[in-house]
Amino acid sequence: MVRALTIAGSDSGGGAGIQADLKTFCAFKVYGMSVITAVTAQNTMGVHGIFDLPADFVAKQLRCVLEDIGVDAVKTGMLANAEIVCAVAAELRRYQLRNLVVDPVMMAKRGEPLLQREARQALMEELLPLAEVVTPNIPEAEVLAEMRIQTLEDMKRAAERILACGARAVVVKGGHRTADATDVLFDGHTMLELQGQRLANPHTHGSGCTFSAAIAAGLAKGQPLAEAVRGAKAFVTKAIAHAQQLGKGIAGLNHLVEP
């Protein structure tokens, strides 16, 4: 059985984080496991509270999974603080895990901070060098690349800068641009433009989590990176297209669609 692990925060509303990742793994017929880094009190209206778990307990969860079940791919999402980032990175190095997808989650959909500012450097120095691919959206890429991103060419330059942090590949997601939803995948040799359809549906909560989890599922199944990224993008597009209103605000994707 193919196995994938998510290391991320819990979303009580079910649209993002651990919940979105496990739904995505299931959609791709991959056995999903989880290491919870933080518990959030949130719904479609926003994040109303965050409780970070102790870093040593996060590491203990990770060791329990790796020493017994094992994994074929790992994705990280919300890591909350520098202590958790460093603890996770130390365990990933210890077990020499491959197929690591890093979603550098920094803010929630409505702008609530999900990664402490002082943890950003730890993320760049400790975790990105271990990644098979890192998947920032435009605001996250602006932080990691230390530049403004407005055009497709800006996205390409940002991907080059982020790759210099040590990851083997970078996907800069274009969902925050007003023009289109084109993503850029750069592996140090080839710069691919992944065209995307911009959808009118506002219910996109958890799209970044879903995208990175879908890439991890593809890598776990042995797909080449570009194929895994294309499959993930197609799944997210379909899941947004079929998303429905739940609650009073921005709802999550429809993870029941076929990949």
Side-chain angles (χ1 to χ4, degrees), residues 150-195:
Q150 296 179 313
T151 67
L152 186 61
E153 291 305 312
D154 290 340
M155 292 172 64
K156 293 177 180 180
R157 285 195 295 272
E160 292 172 344
R161 289 191 181 190
I162 296 169
L163 194 77
C165 294
R168 285 180 279 281
V170 179
V171 179
V172 177
K173 299 175 293 188
H176 282 74
R177 292 182 65 215
T178 57
D180 54 38
T182 297
D183 300 339
V184 170
L185 168 61
F186 182 55
D187 64 1
H189 304 285
T190 304
M191 187 78 72
L192 294 178
E193 296 181 20
L194 305 174
Q195 302 294 325

Side-chain angles (χ1 to χ4, degrees), residues 102-104 134-138 140-142 144 162 170-174:
V102 174
D103 183 9
V134 57
T135 63
N137 59 30
I138 284 179
E140 292 159 350
E142 287 182 331
L144 296 175
I162 296 169
V170 179
V171 179
V172 177
K173 299 175 293 188

Side-chain angles (χ1 to χ4, degrees), residues 7 9 13 33 42 57 59 83 86 117 119 138 143 153-154 184 190 198 248 252 256 258:
I7 306 172
M33 299 160 286
Q42 65 175 292
F57 191 75
E83 291 77 13
C86 292
R117 184 173 296 274
I138 284 179
V143 172
E153 291 305 312
D154 290 340
V184 170
T190 304
R198 180 165 295 284
K248 302 173 184 176
L256 298 178
E258 289 290 328

Side-chain angles (χ1 to χ4, degrees), residues 94-128:
R94 176 182 302 176
Y95 290 92
Q96 299 181 332
L97 294 182
R98 60 189 181 89
N99 293 335
L100 172 63
V101 181
V102 174
D103 183 9
V105 175
M106 296 181 185
M107 291 185 296
K109 183 69 70 177
R110 295 179 180 273
E112 301 93 341
L114 300 179
L115 181 71
Q116 294 177 9
R117 184 173 296 274
E118 57 271 24
R120 296 175 180 177
Q121 197 64 31
L123 181 78
M124 296 175 69
E125 294 178 356
E126 299 291 333
L127 202 58
L128 294 197

